Structure formats: structure tokens, C-alpha cells
Amino acid sequence: MQPTTTPTDSFDPAHCGRDDVLALFQLPRAELFRRADAMRQAHMGDDVHLRGIVEFSNICANDCLYCGIRRSNPSPTRYRIEEDEILAVAHRMESWHQHTIVLQSGEADSPAENARIGRLIRRIKADTGLAVTISAGNRGHDVYAEWREGGMDRYLLRFETSDAALFAELHPDCTLEDRLACLRDLRSLGVQVGSGFMIGVPGETIDILADNILLCRDLDLDMIGIGPFIAHPDTPLKDKPNAYAGDPEMYFAAVAALRLVNPDSHIPATTAFDAIFPHSGRDLVLQRGANVFMPNSTPGRFRKNYLLYPDKPCVDEDDGECSSCAAARIWGLGRFIGEGPGHSVKPRG
Ligand code: SAM
């Protein structure tokens, strides 16, 4: 479908529709990137928040077709990092200017694992000044409530694609409606909610991409993480190219349009950009709409077993190294490292 409107400076994020987003993709890329960077600066300032990610377990009960740690992949050695080792990382994070710990894992919904995550949240909140973000997949309302009670500040759960049929093809273990229900539960509990999607997952059309961006707006997300789909050789999608493989700048155009439609959401420059554009991908995203950087703070020896996609950067490094590298990149862009917890800037009643 051809866009019917041309975006102007009166572009209205709150009321724009699919055609308006498609029209953004028709802009000269330099102009689109300039507008996104200006929108980022006006609403989020020049600070870049560092949120250290600890990939605390790769054990997963799900078989998402794209994911390198899917249940059916025998290649990764499955691990679960001990609580004390995670605590030790958490203690070091503030000296690295990381004021948020993002605890990410595969989806392992068992009473023992849920209790363990609950304990971790409580220990980190008791022992450090860190904000705590969890990213561990779908759970019931009561589990999220327990974690919230323990001090969980934020939750990341991507909806991956807004197209219910495509979601069903990619996810044998859950539906888009289940995922959206989780996001609603989290919101109702007062948790800051992050979601997002993969850019160019096989089967995605440009209309779906526009709808993904609009769904982020309609969910009123505090944080939005998006990154290009990258085919993993040990998955059923191993031979499927990214939908925009012929025009990789579209990955950046997606972030820029996302910023224009979501002016005051935190948007990270996600790691997958560095896998496709080594050493420069995340810098470019920070100049095209993003305001958050998530250094890998996972202890080095676990990293090669958390390969969601090939060419993931930093797998040969250790926790603190990614932080100093991130700081140098941010300063190199003439930006600043955000101090304080970097909570949502959205007004919440
Ligand atoms: N289990 C949790 C969940 O599903 O939300 C968190 C971990 S999951 C592995 C984190 C994210 O990795 C997913 O939301 C997905 O978007 C991304 N991911 C997985 N495989 C990918 C791939 N092949 N290319 C790009 N991103 C991928």
C-alpha cells in the first residue's frame, strides 16, 4: 500500500496511523534519522543510561523458531548462575555506572525457579541501590505480583510481532494474546513495562512493521527494545534471510520511526545491531533515536552458551570490560552517561 500522507513537522505521534508510519519510511533516510535524533534529544536529553544485562540462565521450556537457546537446540550447555555470583556482579555494577541490573533468562516457569528469581530480586534490592529489571518470559499474575512485592521495578517482554498469525507460526508455546495479557498484568501491578519486536522476522511485511511500531505506542510502553532478526544455524529458520536483508538500513529506519511515534519511551541500542554492524551498530542506533545502552554484564565463562543469534559480540570478554567499552563509545558520540536509576519518564497517574 502506498502512503497517503507526507510527514511534516506537524507529525502527530499520538494519533498517527499505519499510512503515516509508512510515509516515514519514504523519507530520505538522512532526514528520517535527523528527525529521530532531534526527537530523542528533545524528550530524553543527551544522557545514555547504562543497564547491565546478566544472562543468568539459558534453560528454556519454549521452542521459539528463531531462538538459539530454544528447548530443542542441543548445542548450548545449559546453565544457571548461582545466586551469590549474580549478587557479586550486582555489587560491582554501580562502580561501572550501571544503575539497573537486567536479569534475563530463558523461560523456565517452575515454582522453584520462580522462588529463586523472587529471592534474587529481594537480595539485590536489600544489598544495592540498583533498579531491577526482569526478562524471563510469560508468567502468571501471581508470580509477577510476588516479584513486584519483592522490589522488581521493571519487566521486559517483547511481543515480537503484532501479527497474531505470524506470532503463532513462530511460537509453538504461546499466543500473542497470552503475551499481551502478561504485559497488561505487569502494568496493573505498577511495574514499568518494556516490550518490543524483532525487525524483519521472516514473513514480516512493511505493514506489519508499521503496526509493530504503532502497537508499542498503543501499549504506552516505558521501554521499547527492537533489533534485527538474525538467522541462527541451529534453528528451523536457519535458511531464512531477514525480510530487509537487501536494505539493512531499514533496521535503523525502524528505530528512527519508533522514536518518532514514541517520543518519551526509553529505547535501547540493542546488541543485535552490533552483530550485523560490528563495532558501529549500536553507536549508529544511539544517533538515530536510542537513549539506552545495555552492556553485557554476564560473567565471561557463560556467554558462549547464550548465543541467541550468531556473531553476538563480546562473548570473549568479561563483565566489567563491556562497561568501559560502552562508556568510551558514548563519550565518543559527545553524549553523557546517565546517573540515577533511569526510571520511566512517562507521567503515570
Ligand atoms: N525468555 C525471555 C523472553 O522470551 O522474553 C527472555 C529471553 S529471549 C531469548 C530475549 C529476546 O531475544 C527475545 O525477545 C527475542 O526478540 C530475541 N531473539 C531471540 N532469537 C533471536 C534472533 N535469532 N534474532 C534476533 N533476536 C532474537
Side-chain angles (χ1 to χ4, degrees):
M1 192 197 314
Q2 283 302 306
T4 52
T5 56
T6 304
T8 65
D9 286 338
S10 63
F11 178 79
D12 180 359
H15 300 102
C16 66
R18 182 196 279 175
D19 286 351
D20 302 299
V21 179
L22 293 175
L24 293 174
F25 292 132
Q26 303 289 323
L27 284 171
R29 292 272 161 81
E31 172 63 9
L32 174 61
F33 297 155
R34 187 195 63 73
R35 290 187 190 198
D37 199 42
M39 187 73 99
R40 182 273 307 158
Q41 190 178 41
H43 289 264
M44 310 306 282
D46 282 333
D47 283 357
V48 177
H49 299 285
L50 295 181
R51 315 211 198 278
I53 182 159
V54 178
E55 298 150 340
F56 69 94
S57 168
N58 64 356
I59 297 169
C60 192
N62 288 355
D63 237 356
C64 308
L65 265 66
Y66 45 83
C67 186
I69 61 167
R70 67 199 300 267
R71 179 183 72 222
S72 300
N73 184 5
S75 301
T77 301
R78 300 292 166 171
Y79 70 83
R80 185 183 278 124
I81 306 180
E82 292 296 325
E83 281 175 46
D84 286 347
E85 186 166 4
I86 298 170
L87 254 293
V89 175
H91 278 291
R92 292 200 293 276
M93 288 176 95
E94 282 171 298
S95 68
W96 302 330
H97 303 277
Q98 297 177 9
H99 303 290
T100 295
I101 184 169
V102 181
L103 292 170
Q104 191 180 83
S105 70
E107 192 168 312
D109 183 5
S110 71
E113 182 64 4
N114 295 340
R116 192 175 91 97
I117 294 173
R119 255 192 329 270
L120 256 177
I121 295 168
R122 285 177 195 273
R123 288 184 66 186
I124 293 169
K125 293 304 284 187
D127 286 12
T128 75
L130 297 173
V132 174
T133 300
I134 304 294
S135 174
N138 291 18
R139 292 295 196 282
H141 180 280
D142 291 354
V143 175
Y144 289 144
E146 173 66 25
W147 293 348
R148 175 69 178 145
E149 183 67 29
M152 174 174 79
D153 298 282
R154 313 185 192 125
Y155 204 90
L156 297 181
L157 181 64
R158 290 185 180 177
F159 59 76
E160 314 293 0
T161 175
S162 59
D163 185 278
L166 183 56
F167 187 101
E169 282 173 34
L170 297 169
H171 302 96
D173 307 287
C174 80
T175 65
L176 179 60
E177 192 39 52
D178 296 335
R179 200 48 74 92
L180 297 177
C182 287
L183 295 173
R184 282 194 295 273
D185 283 347
L186 289 158
R187 170 77 74 223
S188 74
L189 290 164
V191 176
Q192 296 170 53
V193 178
S195 188
F197 56 88
M198 278 178 291
I199 308 162
V201 75
E204 178 179 305
T205 62
I206 192 88
D207 284 357
I208 295 176
L209 174 60
D211 290 350
N212 289 347
I213 290 170
L214 292 169
L215 180 55
C216 291
R217 188 235 2 235
D218 296 343
L219 292 170
D220 193 19
L221 297 171
D222 300 293
M223 301 92 69
I224 310 173
I226 71 172
F229 158 77
I230 303 171
H232 189 296
D234 296 335
T235 66
L237 299 187
K238 63 179 178 215
D239 297 321
K240 303 280 186 196
N242 189 291
Y244 312 107
D247 177 17
E249 242 192 17
M250 262 306 284
Y251 310 144
F252 298 101
V255 177
L258 182 76
R259 168 58 72 201
L260 290 171
V261 178
N262 296 273
D264 57 358
S265 300
H266 287 297
I267 297 180
T270 56
T271 314
F273 278 92
D274 267 14
I276 298 185
F277 305 93
H279 311 296
S280 66
R282 281 184 282 184
D283 305 49
L284 291 168
V285 185
L286 285 172
Q287 294 171 294
R288 296 167 176 181
N291 71 311
V292 171
F293 196 106
M294 296 168 72
N296 193 337
S297 296
T298 308
R301 70 187 190 283
F302 297 102
R303 294 188 187 189
K304 66 177 188 314
N305 287 308
Y306 204 86
L307 292 185
L308 310 177
Y309 43 78
D311 301 322
K312 193 163 170 249
C314 314
V315 288
D316 298 324
E317 292 169 21
D318 215 338
D319 42 21
E321 285 177 73
C322 286
S323 208
S324 43
C325 169
R329 292 172 76 162
I330 291 161
W331 288 322
L333 297 173
R335 304 266 283 277
F336 308 101
I337 295 173
E339 292 299 334
H343 285 314
S344 177
V345 300
K346 293 208 169 199
R348 298 272 175 222

